[in-house]
Protein backbone atom coordinates (compact mmCIF):
# COMPACT_ATOMS: atom_id res chain seq x y z
CA UNK A 1 0.00 0.00 0.00
CA UNK A 2 1.19 3.52 -0.60
CA UNK A 3 2.50 5.70 2.29
CA UNK A 4 -0.50 8.06 2.30
CA UNK A 5 -2.94 5.17 2.72
CA UNK A 6 -0.79 3.69 5.50
CA UNK A 7 -0.82 7.06 7.26
CA UNK A 8 -4.60 7.49 6.97
CA UNK A 9 -5.34 3.92 8.09
CA UNK A 10 -2.97 4.18 11.06
CA UNK A 11 -4.60 7.42 12.16
CA UNK A 12 -8.02 5.73 12.02
CA UNK A 13 -7.03 2.43 13.67
CA UNK A 14 -4.21 3.36 16.08
CA UNK A 15 -4.97 7.03 16.59
CA UNK A 16 -3.44 10.45 16.00
CA UNK A 17 0.01 11.51 17.04
CA UNK A 18 3.46 11.73 15.58
CA UNK A 19 4.74 8.44 17.00
CA UNK A 20 2.26 6.03 15.36
CA UNK A 21 2.22 7.99 12.10
CA UNK A 22 6.00 7.93 11.78
CA UNK A 23 6.16 4.29 12.90
CA UNK A 24 3.77 3.16 10.18
CA UNK A 25 6.34 4.30 7.61
CA UNK A 26 9.24 2.35 9.21
CA UNK A 27 8.82 -0.87 7.19
CA UNK A 28 9.13 1.00 3.89
CA UNK A 29 12.06 3.24 4.85
CA UNK A 30 14.74 0.94 3.39
CA UNK A 31 13.02 1.05 0.00
CA UNK A 32 12.22 4.77 -0.11
CA UNK A 33 15.62 5.73 1.22
CA UNK A 34 17.78 3.40 -0.91
CA UNK A 35 16.04 2.50 -4.19
CA UNK A 36 15.84 5.98 -5.78
CA UNK A 37 19.51 6.59 -4.95
CA UNK A 38 20.50 3.17 -6.30
CA UNK A 39 18.63 3.80 -9.58
CA UNK A 40 20.01 7.35 -9.90
CA UNK A 41 23.62 6.27 -9.34
CA UNK A 42 23.26 3.86 -12.25
CA UNK A 43 21.87 6.59 -14.53
CA UNK A 44 18.61 4.68 -15.04
CA UNK A 45 15.98 7.19 -13.87
CA UNK A 46 15.26 8.79 -17.25
CA UNK A 47 14.95 5.44 -19.02
CA UNK A 48 12.72 4.07 -16.24
CA UNK A 49 10.41 7.08 -16.34
CA UNK A 50 10.16 6.99 -20.14
CA UNK A 51 9.56 3.24 -20.37
CA UNK A 52 7.65 2.75 -17.13
CA UNK A 53 9.92 -0.24 -16.44
CA UNK A 54 11.95 0.11 -13.28
CA UNK A 55 15.05 -1.97 -12.54
CA UNK A 56 14.60 -5.03 -10.34
CA UNK A 57 15.63 -4.59 -6.74
CA UNK A 58 19.17 -5.56 -5.88
CA UNK A 59 19.35 -8.56 -3.54
CA UNK A 60 20.53 -6.54 -0.53
CA UNK A 61 17.56 -4.17 -0.79
CA UNK A 62 15.11 -7.03 -1.13
CA UNK A 63 16.65 -8.54 2.02
CA UNK A 64 16.13 -5.24 3.87
CA UNK A 65 12.53 -5.17 2.68
CA UNK A 66 11.94 -8.75 3.87
CA UNK A 67 13.46 -7.95 7.27
CA UNK A 68 11.40 -4.79 7.76
CA UNK A 69 8.18 -6.61 6.79
CA UNK A 70 8.77 -9.61 9.06
CA UNK A 71 6.66 -9.99 12.17
CA UNK A 72 9.70 -10.96 14.23
CA UNK A 73 11.14 -7.45 14.88
CA UNK A 74 7.74 -5.83 15.41
CA UNK A 75 6.49 -8.60 17.73
CA UNK A 76 9.75 -8.42 19.70
CA UNK A 77 9.26 -4.68 20.07
CA UNK A 78 5.67 -5.23 21.22
CA UNK A 79 6.80 -7.72 23.88
CA UNK A 80 9.50 -5.32 25.09
CA UNK A 81 6.92 -2.51 25.31
CA UNK A 82 4.63 -4.68 27.44
CA UNK A 83 7.39 -5.93 29.75
CA UNK A 84 8.82 -2.46 30.32
CA UNK A 85 5.44 -0.70 30.16
CA UNK A 86 6.48 1.73 27.43
CA UNK A 87 3.39 3.14 25.75
CA UNK A 88 5.25 4.86 22.90
CA UNK A 89 7.06 1.63 22.02
CA UNK A 90 3.69 -0.13 22.04
CA UNK A 91 2.32 2.45 19.57
CA UNK A 92 5.37 1.95 17.34
CA UNK A 93 4.96 -1.84 17.42
CA UNK A 94 1.21 -1.71 16.75
CA UNK A 95 1.66 0.73 13.87
CA UNK A 96 4.39 -1.45 12.39
CA UNK A 97 2.21 -4.57 12.76
CA UNK A 98 -0.73 -2.80 11.10
CA UNK A 99 1.51 -1.84 8.18
CA UNK A 100 2.62 -5.45 7.70
CA UNK A 101 -0.93 -6.82 7.99
CA UNK A 102 -2.27 -4.36 5.42
CA UNK A 103 0.61 -5.12 3.06
CA UNK A 104 -0.13 -8.85 3.33
CA UNK A 105 -3.63 -8.11 2.03
CA UNK A 106 -2.67 -5.50 -0.55
CA UNK A 107 0.43 -6.92 -2.25
CA UNK A 108 0.91 -9.77 -4.65
CA UNK A 109 3.24 -12.52 -3.50
CA UNK A 110 6.05 -11.33 -5.80
CA UNK A 111 8.00 -9.18 -5.51
CA UNK A 112 6.64 -7.14 -2.57
CA UNK A 113 4.56 -9.62 -0.61
CA UNK A 114 5.61 -9.51 3.03
CA UNK A 115 7.23 -12.63 4.42
CA UNK A 116 5.78 -12.53 7.96
CA UNK A 117 8.07 -15.27 9.30
CA UNK A 118 11.22 -14.25 7.43
CA UNK A 119 14.05 -15.37 7.84
CA UNK A 120 12.59 -18.55 9.33
CA UNK A 121 10.26 -19.07 6.38
CA UNK A 122 9.78 -17.63 2.90
CA UNK A 123 5.99 -17.96 3.25
CA UNK A 124 4.15 -15.12 1.54
CA UNK A 125 0.47 -14.46 1.02
CA UNK A 126 -1.15 -13.77 -2.34
CA UNK A 127 -2.94 -10.52 -1.59
CA UNK A 128 -4.64 -8.26 -4.08
CA UNK A 129 -2.00 -6.12 -5.74
CA UNK A 130 -3.24 -2.56 -5.17
CA UNK A 131 -1.02 -1.09 -7.90
CA UNK A 132 -2.25 -3.60 -10.49
CA UNK A 133 -5.86 -3.08 -9.44
CA UNK A 134 -5.51 0.71 -9.62
CA UNK A 135 -3.84 0.56 -13.05
CA UNK A 136 -6.56 -1.77 -14.39
CA UNK A 137 -9.27 0.54 -13.03
CA UNK A 138 -7.72 3.59 -14.65
CA UNK A 139 -7.32 1.74 -17.97
CA UNK A 140 -10.98 0.67 -17.83
CA UNK A 141 -12.07 4.22 -17.04
CA UNK A 142 -10.05 5.61 -19.94
CA UNK A 143 -11.50 3.02 -22.35
CA UNK A 144 -15.06 3.77 -21.24
CA UNK A 145 -14.70 7.55 -21.53
CA UNK A 146 -13.05 7.41 -24.94
CA UNK A 147 -15.66 5.06 -26.41
Amino acid sequence: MDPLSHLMLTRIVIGPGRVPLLATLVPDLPFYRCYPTWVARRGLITAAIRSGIWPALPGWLLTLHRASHSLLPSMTLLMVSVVFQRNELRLVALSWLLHIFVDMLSHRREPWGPRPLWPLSDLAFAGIGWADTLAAGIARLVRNTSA
Side-chain angles (χ1 to χ4, degrees), residues 5-110:
S5 299
H6 276 298
L7 288 167
M8 291 187 312
L9 187 60
T10 299
R11 180 166 169 79
I12 291 166
V13 175
I14 306 291
R18 246 185 7 218
V19 170
L21 294 179
L22 290 174
T24 199
L25 301 176
V26 165
D28 288 337
L29 284 180
F31 174 80
Y32 287 117
R33 171 60 184 96
C34 298
Y35 185 73
T37 304
W38 181 82
V39 174
R41 284 189 171 176
R42 279 149 189 77
L44 301 173
I45 287 183
T46 304
I49 291 171
R50 285 185 181 150
S51 69
I53 300 170
W54 290 84
L57 288 179
W60 61 269
L61 187 51
L62 190 56
T63 298
L64 280 175
H65 185 268
R66 298 278 188 256
S68 67
H69 283 76
S70 172
L71 293 173
L72 300 177
S74 52
M75 290 298 293
T76 301
L77 188 60
L78 184 60
M79 288 188 283
V80 167
S81 75
V82 169
V83 169
F84 293 102
Q85 299 177 354
R86 301 287 190 199
N87 192 44
E88 288 206 339
L89 277 182
R90 185 179 59 82
L91 290 173
V92 169
L94 292 174
S95 299
W96 194 346
L97 287 167
L98 178 63
H99 179 114
I100 294 168
F101 177 71
V102 168
D103 276 3
M104 286 187 330
L105 300 174
S106 64
H107 289 281
R108 291 179 295 129
R109 185 172 286 132
E110 295 298 333

